[in-house]
């Protein structure tokens, strides 16, 4: 099956491509694009500000399509690091789990300087994370708040099974409301990964609700249309990031 989403470049990709073409022209290199072209430039303020929240979300969808197809951009991370030394203009802040198999930047094929990233087991919005998100959006100009859960989440499974371990116990307790709210016909235990995944998605939805409830700053920005809050689930099998509101 052909993935038409992957074939259409995002505005972010086109902006990078334009920058890359300019650099190629200046150095006398042949002016044609190839999938293996290395994008050295970091996101600029003008590029970020020219994008709408929907543009940024679409660019993530297309980046994930490239990831799944094994056709990721050749990021020159050293050059991106150097280009972003004087300032950073990420388009989004991402709250995701600490799971080693779910690094958001890689799954969305994003480069240095493109996303703020918060990671905590179970992608739970603590006060510190809410403050970080407020900085990212209200002060630094990010336009998207993306909450990313994932399949086979150990934190969600631990909450279902009432695991207890030091400070982890309190964190897992914050996931438990999602268990009660999840409608599921079948075995409601951590052994059933269908149920675990259903709770993980509910947890993302409730996290978005918590962000709106506990952060008047972000809620106001969303109401004004300046930012968008969106949820997602990363599927370990297949690698797709499923987006939802």
């Amino acid at each position: 099956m052909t993935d038409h989403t992957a074939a259409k470049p995002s505005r972010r990709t086109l902006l990078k491509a334009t920058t890359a073409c300019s650099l190629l022209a200046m150095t006398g290199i042949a002016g044609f694009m190839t999938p293996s072209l290395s994008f050295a430039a970091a996101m600029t303020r003008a590029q970020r500000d020219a994008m709408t929240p929907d543009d940024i979300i679409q660019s993530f969808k297309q980046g994930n399509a490239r990831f799944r197809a094994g056709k990721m951009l050749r990021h020159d991370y050293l050059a991106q690091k150097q280009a972003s030394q004087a300032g950073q203009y990420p388009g989004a802040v991402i709250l995701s789990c600490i799971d080693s198999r779910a690094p958001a930047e890689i799954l969305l094929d994003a480069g240095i300087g493109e996303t703020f990233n918060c990671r905590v087991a179970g992608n739970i919005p603590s006060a510190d994370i809410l403050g970080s998100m407020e900085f990212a959006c209200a002060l630094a100009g990010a336009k998207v708040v993306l909450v990313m859960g994932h399949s086979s989440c150990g934190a969600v499974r631990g909450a279902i099974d009432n695991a207890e371990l030091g400070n982890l116990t309190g964190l897992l307790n914050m996931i438990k409301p999602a268990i009660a709210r999840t409608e599921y016909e079948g075995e409601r235990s951590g052994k059933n990964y269908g149920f675990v995944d259903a709770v993980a998605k509910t947890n993302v939805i409730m996290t978005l609700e918590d962000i709106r409830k506990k952060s008047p700053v972000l809620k106001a920005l969303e109401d004004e249309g300046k930012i968008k809050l969106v949820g997602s689930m990363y599927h370990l099998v297949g690698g797709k990031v499923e987006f939802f509101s």
Side-chain angles (χ1 to χ4, degrees):
M1 177 191 281
T2 302
D3 191 336
H4 296 290
T5 302
K8 184 179 178 181
S10 67
R11 180 179 297 191
R12 181 184 64 169
T13 301
L14 290 174
L15 287 168
K16 286 186 174 182
T18 300
T19 302
C21 281
S22 298
L23 292 173
L24 290 174
M26 290 173 61
T27 55
I29 300 175
F32 61 87
M33 304 298 293
T34 68
S36 62
L37 182 64
S38 176
F39 291 108
M43 182 83 78
T44 67
R45 181 193 292 272
Q47 289 171 344
R48 193 271 310 282
D49 290 350
M51 299 175 75
T52 67
D54 286 335
D55 289 333
I56 293 168
I57 294 167
Q58 183 63 18
S59 76
F60 286 157
K61 292 179 179 179
Q62 293 169 347
N64 179 245
R66 293 193 300 272
F67 169 76
R68 300 197 317 271
K71 297 181 179 179
M72 298 172 71
L73 303 177
R74 280 187 55 199
H75 296 280
D76 186 335
Y77 293 116
L78 179 59
Q80 289 176 359
K81 175 188 72 67
Q82 293 170 338
S84 60
Q85 286 176 166
Q88 58 170 339
Y89 309 102
V93 54
I94 304 172
L95 170 57
S96 60
C97 184
I98 63 169
D99 194 291
S100 64
R101 302 164 295 177
E105 304 98 313
I106 295 175
L107 308 180
L108 302 174
D109 195 18
I112 290 175
E114 294 187 28
T115 60
F116 289 108
N117 295 278
C118 307
R119 298 189 69 173
V120 61
N123 34 274
I124 292 299
S126 67
D128 293 336
I129 286 177
L130 289 173
S132 298
M133 288 179 169
E134 290 169 354
F135 164 79
C137 296
L139 298 181
K143 299 182 178 183
V144 172
V145 174
L146 175 64
V147 179
M148 183 185 294
H150 67 92
S151 60
S152 303
C153 181
V156 171
R157 184 181 182 188
I160 293 171
D161 290 341
N162 294 307
E164 295 185 358
L165 177 65
N167 292 299
L168 178 62
T169 304
L171 187 153
L172 298 183
N173 285 339
M174 296 177 68
I175 300 174
K176 289 184 178 180
I179 302 172
R181 183 162 157 181
T182 299
E183 296 182 4
Y184 187 83
E185 294 184 4
E187 182 183 357
R188 297 174 66 91
S189 77
K191 296 179 181 179
N192 181 0
Y193 279 99
F195 181 57
V196 171
D197 294 350
V199 174
K201 184 171 183 178
T202 302
N203 184 51
V204 170
I205 294 170
M206 294 185 72
T207 293
L208 291 172
E209 294 172 354
D210 282 346
I211 292 171
R212 294 183 177 104
K213 179 180 179 181
K214 297 177 180 179
S215 175
V217 171
L218 295 175
K219 180 65 166 59
L221 290 172
E222 182 184 37
D223 290 343
E224 294 167 7
K226 295 180 179 179
I227 68 171
K228 274 199 171 183
L229 274 65
V230 62
S232 64
M233 280 287 292
Y234 171 59
H235 297 277
L236 295 178
V237 177
K240 184 174 183 177
V241 176
E242 168 196 1
F243 291 80
F244 51 88
S245 298

